[in-house]
Amino acid sequence: MIRLRYLKRLTLSEVASRYSITERTVRNHTNPTVKQVKEIIARATETMNG
């Protein structure tokens, strides 16, 4: 889902239709992962900036 949503730049609706699920389900599955990635990037940036 992450690959389709963010790398292939499909809409929530397009991803949902590929998996035969609701847009809400796509959001519920992708949002926690996106949040984790943002936190990892923030920590790495803090470490690099001292």
Side-chain angles (χ1 to χ4, degrees):
M1 282 187 217
I2 295 292
R3 183 176 57 82
L4 292 176
R5 179 77 174 112
Y6 295 98
L7 299 179
K8 299 286 186 176
R9 297 182 182 259
L10 298 183
T11 65
L12 284 172
S13 178
E14 290 169 327
V15 175
S17 69
R18 294 229 180 154
Y19 286 97
S20 299
I21 57 177
T22 66
E23 291 179 27
R24 182 179 186 145
T25 301
V26 173
R27 216 177 293 118
N28 288 342
H29 284 277
T30 57
N31 283 355
T33 303
V34 171
K35 182 179 177 186
Q36 284 180 322
V37 170
K38 287 179 180 180
E39 290 170 357
I40 290 167
I41 291 170
R43 282 194 303 257
T45 302
E46 289 172 7
T47 301
M48 290 172 55
N49 292 334

